């Protein structure tokens, strides 16, 4: 009885143990089948797969007690190895693909780099050309500015020279003008003095005031401005006798033709008459007569005599 | 009388130990079994390598000192444990167990090496893929410059 219980326990235990092992084998087989079906690993680890498969199949062929632990262990390890070898070969294959793709890209990159480099070189060349043109343009501008500046300097120098010359000229002119002015002043002073010193004399026709030829420009009937401005003495003389008629007689020396002298004397007499009218003397009172060289008061053979003969007499006729 | 007895005994012995007697069959059977056992044992002895453990020990040490240790710590741990067991088996002259343990350890070593190689390949592949991506980006950039 005792032996039968023990043997039964052993039988149950062994059968339980065998069932556990069978489950383990089945799990191993299914794991292998699943692994075998993985698409990406199909081309890889073929020898390792065969070895793993054989190991697992051998487990089923073992004795009736079931496979030994060592065989199961080795079968499992063979399957792990098969997986890892397949993974390794798969990775190597992927690596090879990536390397190939890299090589393709490297080649293309080199080609594109060459194109880019050529393009950059072209751009650089173009830029250089533009810069050279710009430099040339700036240089030309500088030269133009420089030339213009030189021209300006030359012009300025010329103007300066010219201005200096002009200044010198002006200085000379001023000097001459001053001299002329001095002379004119002297002349005016003389004229003024002469006009102020005019005196009248009694003649048969009336009171006579004689204006020397200093009153007129040479060989002209134009009365000098200074004489016009200093004519007050003459006007005062005329105003002293408001009721008398006035005769203005023009005389010349004997130089030149008679007709010329007659004409000149008439023009001078007319000019004095007009001046008197301008000073307010009534025109009806005044008669202008050109006497020419017919009534000399001095010798026409001398300069002083000629000077005395060139005159205008203002005669306040007796009533 | 005496000689006849001797003859009888002699013939009995001869008949008992003759080549084709019942007893001689048993002897042949025992000898045959011994021969089979001897031949099997010789075969087993032929497979057993006395130096295998020591060679393996050296290889394991080399493996432990290599970068594989960092990648396959579980396998290394297992190898170390199995090495202790193999050493004990060798000490106890349990050749069968020793041989099995050595085979298991070699399998683990191969797996550890494969794991290391796979890891390396994975790293290489990642790096190469990064390079590929960078190269593609660079190439696109270059092509943009050409437009």
């Amino acid at each position: 009885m005792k032996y039968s219980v023990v043997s039964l326990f052993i039988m149950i235990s062994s059968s339980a143990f065998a069932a556990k092992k069978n489950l383990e084998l089945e799990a191993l087989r299914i794991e292998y089948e699943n692994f075998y079906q993985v698409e990406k690993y199909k081309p890889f680890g073929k020898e390792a797969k065969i070895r793993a498969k054989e190991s697992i199949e051998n487990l089923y062929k073992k004795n009736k007690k079931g496979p030994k632990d060592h065989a199961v262990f080795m079968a499992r390890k063979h399957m792990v190895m098969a997986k890892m070898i397949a993974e390794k070969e798969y990775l190597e294959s992927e690596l090879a693909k990536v390397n190939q793709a890299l090589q393709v890209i490297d080649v293309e990159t080199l080609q594109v780099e060459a194109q880019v480099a050529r393009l950059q070189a072209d751009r650089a060349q173009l830029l250089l050309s533009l810069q050279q043109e710009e430099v040339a343009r700036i240089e030309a501008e500088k030269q133009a500015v420089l030339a213009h500046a030189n021209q300006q300097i030359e012009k300025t120098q010329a103007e300066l020279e010219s201005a200096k010359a002009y200044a010198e000229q002006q200085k000379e002119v001023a000097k001459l003008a001053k001299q002329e002015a001095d002379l004119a002043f002297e002349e005016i002073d003389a004229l003024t003095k002469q006009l102020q010193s005019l005196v009248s004399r009694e003649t048969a026709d009336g009171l006579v005031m004689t204006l020397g030829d200093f009153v007129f420009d040479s060989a002209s009937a134009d009365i000098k401005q200074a004489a016009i401005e200093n004519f007050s003495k003459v006007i005062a003389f005329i105003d002293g006798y408001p009721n008398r008629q006035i005769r203005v007689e023009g005389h010349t020396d004997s130089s030149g033709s008679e007709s010329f002298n007659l004409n000149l004397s008439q023009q001078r007499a007319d000019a004095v008459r007009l001046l008197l009218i301008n000073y307010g003397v009534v025109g009806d009172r005044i008669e202008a007569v050109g006497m020419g060289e017919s009534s000399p008061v001095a010798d026409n053979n001398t300069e002083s005599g000629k000077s005395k003969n060139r005159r205008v007499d203002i005669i306040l006729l007796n009533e | 009388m005496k000689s006849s007895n001797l003859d009888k005994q002699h013939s009995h012995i001869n008949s008992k130990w003759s080549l084709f007697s019942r007893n001689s069959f048993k002897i042949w059977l025992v000898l045959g079994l011994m021969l089979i056992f001897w031949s099997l044992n010789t075969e087993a002895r032929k497979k057993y390598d006395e130096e295998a453990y020591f060679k393996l020990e050296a290889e394991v040490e080399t493996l432990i000192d290599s970068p594989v240790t960092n990648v396959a710590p579980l396998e290394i741990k297992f190898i170390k444990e199995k090495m202790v067991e193999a050493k004990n088996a060798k000490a106890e002259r349990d050749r069968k167990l020793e041989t099995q343990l050595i085979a298991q350890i070699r399998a683990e070593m191969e797996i550890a090496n494969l794991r290391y190689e796979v890891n390396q390949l994975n790293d290489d592949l990642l790096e190469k893929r990064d390079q590929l991506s960078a190269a593609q980006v660079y190439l696109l950039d270059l092509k943009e410059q050409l437009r």
Side-chain angles (χ1 to χ4, degrees):
Chain A
M1 181 66 184
K2 189 180 176 183
Y3 290 118
S4 61
V5 169
V6 170
S7 59
L8 183 64
F9 175 75
I10 290 168
M11 280 174 68
I12 291 168
S13 300
S14 62
S15 62
F17 183 70
K20 189 184 170 189
K21 275 211 164 171
N22 285 336
L23 280 174
E24 195 176 352
L25 289 184
E26 199 56 20
L28 202 57
R29 187 186 65 76
I30 291 168
E31 192 178 342
Y32 175 78
E33 289 295 328
N34 288 338
F35 163 62
Y36 192 78
Q37 295 299 325
V38 177
E39 197 62 35
K40 75 173 185 178
Y41 293 136
K42 276 192 176 173
F44 306 113
K46 288 180 178 172
E47 287 180 14
K49 279 178 187 170
I50 291 168
R51 189 172 63 170
K53 188 183 175 190
E54 286 173 356
S55 297
I56 293 167
E57 282 173 352
N58 285 336
L59 294 178
Y60 285 94
K61 293 174 187 172
K62 293 288 176 182
N63 56 37
K64 290 177 185 174
K65 291 179 184 174
K68 293 182 179 175
D69 289 344
H70 173 68
V72 175
F73 178 88
M74 290 307 288
R76 182 174 297 285
K77 292 299 165 185
H78 283 155
M79 196 177 69
V80 173
M81 277 186 241
K83 281 183 177 178
M84 297 197 76
I85 287 169
E87 173 74 9
K88 181 188 159 193
E89 289 180 6
Y90 166 74
L91 288 173
E92 284 171 347
S93 156
E94 288 296 303
L95 201 58
K97 284 180 194 171
V98 175
N99 276 330
Q100 195 178 1
L102 258 176
Q103 281 178 350
V104 171
I105 280 193
D106 283 347
V107 169
E108 194 179 356
T109 301
L110 283 174
Q111 289 170 345
V112 177
E113 274 178 344
Q115 289 175 356
V116 169
R118 201 176 302 127
L119 186 70
Q120 284 175 343
D122 290 346
R123 282 180 184 163
Q125 185 66 41
L126 185 65
L127 195 64
L128 188 64
S129 300
L130 288 173
Q131 283 175 346
Q132 283 174 342
E133 283 176 15
E134 182 67 12
V135 167
R137 190 185 63 75
I138 290 169
E139 189 65 28
E141 278 182 5
K142 276 183 184 174
Q143 291 295 335
V145 168
L146 199 61
H148 182 67
N150 282 336
Q151 282 179 353
Q152 285 296 109
I153 289 168
E154 285 173 6
K155 189 179 171 185
T156 306
Q157 280 178 340
E159 284 176 355
L160 195 62
E161 292 297 323
S162 174
K164 276 182 183 175
Y166 181 72
E168 288 295 323
Q169 198 179 354
Q170 286 301 104
K171 195 176 169 185
E172 201 61 34
V173 169
K175 189 178 171 186
L176 289 172
K178 187 174 180 297
Q179 286 175 353
E180 281 182 9
D182 288 345
L183 286 172
F185 278 125
E186 284 174 11
E187 191 180 353
I188 287 167
D189 283 344
L191 182 63
T192 305
K193 283 176 184 173
Q194 283 179 346
L195 284 170
Q196 293 301 324
S197 64
L198 283 174
V199 288
S200 60
R201 66 182 186 276
E202 190 70 44
T203 66
D205 292 332
L207 286 171
V208 177
M209 183 173 274
T210 298
L211 302 175
D213 71 333
F214 59 85
V215 175
F216 296 96
D217 292 329
S218 179
S220 166
D222 296 333
I223 300 170
K224 289 179 180 172
Q225 188 61 30
I228 292 169
E229 290 169 359
N230 291 283
F231 222 61
S232 56
K233 179 86 179 194
V234 177
I235 296 303
F237 166 66
I238 291 170
D239 285 346
Y241 305 94
N243 296 321
R244 291 192 183 190
Q245 289 292 312
I246 303 163
R247 190 167 77 223
V248 179
E249 289 180 356
H251 300 275
T252 66
D253 60 14
S254 59
S255 302
S257 66
E258 192 176 342
S259 62
F260 174 78
N261 288 332
L262 187 64
N263 188 37
L264 179 63
S265 63
Q266 183 63 51
Q267 285 178 353
R268 286 184 170 180
D270 288 340
V272 171
R273 178 178 175 270
L274 191 61
L275 183 62
L276 292 175
I277 291 168
N278 285 341
Y279 268 97
V281 180
V282 179
D284 293 343
R285 286 178 64 194
I286 308 165
E287 178 191 13
V289 180
M291 300 297 287
E293 57 187 64
S294 60
S295 302
V297 290
D299 187 3
N300 273 318
N301 294 320
T302 62
E303 280 303 313
S304 66
K306 283 182 180 179
S307 176
K308 284 178 182 174
N309 287 333
R310 293 191 297 270
R311 67 190 191 282
V312 172
D313 291 334
I314 299 169
I315 306 165
L316 298 177
L317 297 171
N318 292 325
E319 293 177 2
Chain B
M1 183 67 188
K2 216 176 182 179
S3 64
S4 66
N5 282 340
L6 282 170
D7 290 340
K8 277 183 183 177
Q9 281 182 347
H10 186 71
S11 64
H12 177 71
I13 289 166
N14 281 343
S15 64
K16 196 176 181 179
W17 297 101
S18 75
L19 283 170
F20 302 104
S21 67
R22 280 178 80 178
N23 285 334
S24 65
F25 174 73
K26 287 178 183 173
I27 290 165
W28 281 113
L29 185 66
V30 170
L31 284 172
L33 286 172
M34 283 176 69
L35 188 65
I36 290 165
F37 178 77
W38 180 78
S39 65
L40 287 173
N41 204 27
T42 308
E43 193 66 26
R45 241 182 290 168
K46 272 184 187 171
K47 283 184 181 173
Y48 178 72
D49 180 3
E50 278 289 340
E51 298 299 318
Y53 173 79
F54 300 111
K55 287 179 193 169
L56 182 70
E57 193 175 34
E59 287 174 34
V60 167
E61 279 175 13
T62 307
L63 184 75
I64 288 169
D65 291 339
S66 72
V68 176
T69 310
N70 300 325
V71 180
L74 286 176
E75 282 80 5
I76 297 294
K77 179 174 175 281
F78 182 84
I79 288 166
K80 284 178 180 173
E81 289 170 1
K82 290 280 177 183
M83 282 299 286
V84 173
E85 290 179 28
K87 190 176 182 181
N88 291 335
K90 187 168 185 64
E92 290 167 7
R93 297 191 171 277
D94 189 342
R95 290 173 174 173
K96 185 181 173 186
L97 182 59
E98 184 191 343
T99 307
Q100 287 180 347
L101 286 168
I102 285 172
Q104 291 177 10
I105 289 164
R106 286 205 176 280
E108 288 294 346
M109 285 172 75
E110 192 175 341
I111 288 169
N113 278 319
L114 281 168
R115 198 175 296 286
Y116 174 73
E117 287 175 23
V118 165
N119 264 29
Q120 285 289 106
L121 283 168
N122 262 321
D123 290 346
D124 290 350
L125 188 60
L126 283 175
E127 191 182 333
K128 287 286 177 185
R129 280 180 176 155
D130 285 346
Q131 282 180 18
L132 185 64
S133 296
Q136 284 168 338
V137 170
Y138 177 61
L139 183 60
L140 280 175
D141 186 42
L142 283 177
K143 284 181 177 175
E144 280 295 317
Q145 290 181 37
L146 283 179
R147 285 182 186 171

